[in-house]
Amino acid sequence: MIISQSQNPVPIINNCIESSQPFVIPTETVYGLAASIYDMTAIKRIFEYKKRPFFDPLIVHISSHNNAKQLTDYNSPLYTKLAEVFWPGPLTLVLPKKQIISDLITSGLDTVGIRMPNHPMALKLISFSNAPLAAPSANLFGQTSPTNAIDVEVDFPFLHIFDGGSCNIGIESTVLRIQKLPDGSEELSLLRPGFIKKSEIDQILKKNHFNYSWAKNIIKSHSPGHIKHHYMPKKPIIFLESENIEIKKIWDSIVKDFENSPETVDGVTIVKPQKITSYQELIFSDDPILASRELYSTLRDFSKGPDDILVFKKRSYMNTEAWEAFLERLSKASSLKYS
Ligand code: TXA
Ligand code: MG
């Protein structure tokens, strides 16, 4: 059920914590399905409710800079600078974890993803919980993330959902791994693009003359959550890499490709149409910030329409860094792609 902003959250949070029930918190990116990092029963329920495989680690949410010390011993001026500039905000830092953090949260990795969300209600709920909160996006595994309380309720009507309004950013945080190299310099890996861009991170770090480099390749085992399909709405999306492709001309290939495509990839069910007779083109703002904010609610809304498939055409103005995260999400949300 949805808890309105006028209700006192403290007794509700206390009840959830006492009964090891995960609850849903708003953040500036997407809503999260949260539980104390010290309650393994509740953490297991997050995986169970989401139908999420245990190989995909959870991000831990904190409400103060000091909280991070419960999670990692990592210490460097570069890390301190990024946390100071971007927290609270949509940046998750992946750092060596403290022993105390359960392998269930980190999927057995020796690192933990940490983020301080920039949302007043999220910060209050974390601090009322008296513990950092592990929270993946509050959607079923592989499906579209929710950016308002009503969308969460569709999948999880039995949970307490704290309503913090529509998410201002609308797509998940940038995930950045920081690692010390033997020569003492630091290596950064962008594990997931997000609202905070690589160039913004570079700008801050260069200004402060840090000794760092970007990893050439992302090592698969460092980012187990990186799977091919994700964020899928109820209707299949066809991703056209260029605005010059005419959907009518490739219609027969689409029908055939759906027949031949696998049912699941990496455990995610590929969304397929029951029949293919009609399509609707997805429409987004030409401003990347607005388009990202509306992305998931647009996918959900368009899925309710009468047509069999949704079509997204990548526009030439989208070939900039500002569109990277938006395109990454839409590409993974698509069942088929044509270039
Ligand atoms: O904006 C966000 O990050 C939202 C809100 C709720 O904070 N959370 C979110 O969580 O998107 P989730 O679970 O849907 O995505 C977390 C991503 C996954 O791809 C996971 O693999 C990666 O972060 N991740 C978490 N911990 C990691 C770690 N220790 N090493 C590498 N990747 C990690
Ligand atoms: Mg997610």
Side-chain angles (χ1 to χ4, degrees):
M1 74 234 51
I2 295 178
I3 316 296
S4 83
Q5 307 199 18
S6 58
Q7 277 174 273
N8 178 5
V10 177
I12 302 170
I13 287 269
N14 287 344
N15 256 331
C16 290
I17 288 179
E18 264 164 41
S19 56
S20 293
Q21 261 310 331
F23 48 91
V24 178
I25 62 169
T27 83
E28 79 281 34
T29 59
V30 299
Y31 275 68
L33 179 51
S36 158
I37 59 162
Y38 301 117
D39 183 347
M40 286 311 113
T41 306
I43 296 286
K44 276 188 201 139
R45 284 181 171 155
I46 290 181
F47 285 92
E48 181 194 325
Y49 294 162
K50 269 187 68 94
K51 301 195 172 69
R52 182 180 175 114
F54 287 109
F55 67 72
D56 196 2
L58 308 180
I59 292 172
V60 177
H61 296 70
I62 55 174
S63 58
S64 75
H65 285 84
N66 216 23
N67 279 167
K69 298 197 178 92
Q70 290 180 54
L71 309 169
T72 183
D73 284 326
Y74 197 81
N75 205 342
S76 80
L78 178 148
Y79 159 48
T80 308
K81 179 50 88 183
L82 290 180
E84 193 185 281
V85 172
F86 293 110
W87 283 353
L91 178 68
T92 296
L93 295 176
V94 173
L95 299 164
K97 77 168 183 110
K98 272 195 171 176
Q99 205 71 42
I100 184 171
I101 318 259
S102 160
D103 281 343
L104 204 54
I105 293 169
T106 64
S107 302
L109 298 176
D110 52 12
T111 56
V112 58
I114 311 172
R115 155 169 137 78
M116 191 193 299
N118 187 16
H119 191 293
M121 189 186 281
L123 294 172
K124 269 192 212 145
L125 295 171
I126 299 164
S127 111
F128 291 153
S129 303
N130 287 318
L133 298 178
S137 51
N139 52 276
L140 293 164
F141 183 66
Q143 299 187 14
T144 309
S145 312
T147 51
N148 60 63
I150 292 169
D151 288 346
V152 181
E153 202 182 29
V154 174
D155 287 340
F156 302 113
F158 55 95
L159 291 178
H160 289 93
I161 303 160
F162 290 94
D163 190 351
S166 284
C167 302
N168 194 29
I169 288 180
I171 54 171
E172 297 83 347
S173 61
T174 306
V175 178
L176 181 74
R177 182 185 154 107
I178 310 178
Q179 195 183 0
K180 278 219 175 90
L181 295 180
D183 67 1
S185 70
E186 282 163 294
E187 187 181 64
L188 306 183
S189 312
L190 192 75
L191 302 185
R192 179 174 71 185
F195 185 80
I196 292 177
K197 299 185 276 302
K198 191 175 166 199
S199 60
E200 289 175 78
I201 296 168
D202 267 332
Q203 203 187 1
I204 301 290
L205 298 181
K206 290 216 170 98
K207 203 163 80 187
N208 288 275
H209 309 290
F210 289 116
N211 183 10
Y212 75 100
S213 56
W214 288 95
K216 303 270 172 309
N217 302 304
I218 303 297
I219 300 168
K220 177 81 184 123
S221 64
H222 286 172
S223 192
H226 230 81
I227 47 179
K228 206 162 167 220
H229 291 279
H230 214 137
Y231 319 110
M232 292 189 144
K234 301 270 185 266
K235 289 260 169 79
I237 301 175
I238 307 295
F239 189 113
L240 306 183
E241 306 256 17
S242 142
E243 53 201 322
N244 302 323
I245 303 173
E246 275 184 53
I247 185 87
K248 296 248 162 60
K249 286 201 178 140
I250 56 166
W251 197 258
D252 291 344
S253 315
I254 293 175
V255 175
K256 217 181 296 142
D257 291 342
F258 267 122
E259 277 169 14
N260 296 332
S261 65
E263 297 303 313
T264 62
V265 174
D266 296 333
V268 176
T269 305
I270 305 303
V271 182
K272 294 187 185 192
Q274 315 240 294
K275 57 179 176 38
I276 314 186
T277 50
S278 64
Y279 73 94
Q280 185 177 25
E281 194 172 328
L282 289 163
I283 314 274
F284 294 102
S285 164
D286 58 8
D287 173 331
I289 292 179
L290 294 182
S292 299
R293 185 181 295 162
E294 296 158 1
L295 171 62
Y296 292 134
S297 54
T298 302
L299 297 189
R300 285 170 186 265
D301 287 348
F302 275 63
S303 281
K304 292 175 196 147
D307 296 301
D308 304 323
I309 57 174
L310 305 176
V311 173
F312 170 70
K313 264 191 187 180
K314 183 179 159 192
R315 311 279 159 185
S316 48
Y317 60 75
M318 292 178 173
N319 285 323
T320 64
E321 194 189 18
W323 287 94
E324 187 187 354
F326 172 88
L327 290 174
E328 193 252 4
R329 304 302 193 275
L330 249 176
S331 159
K332 289 191 169 175
S334 302
S335 297
L336 296 173
K337 262 174 136 179
Y338 295 89
S339 51

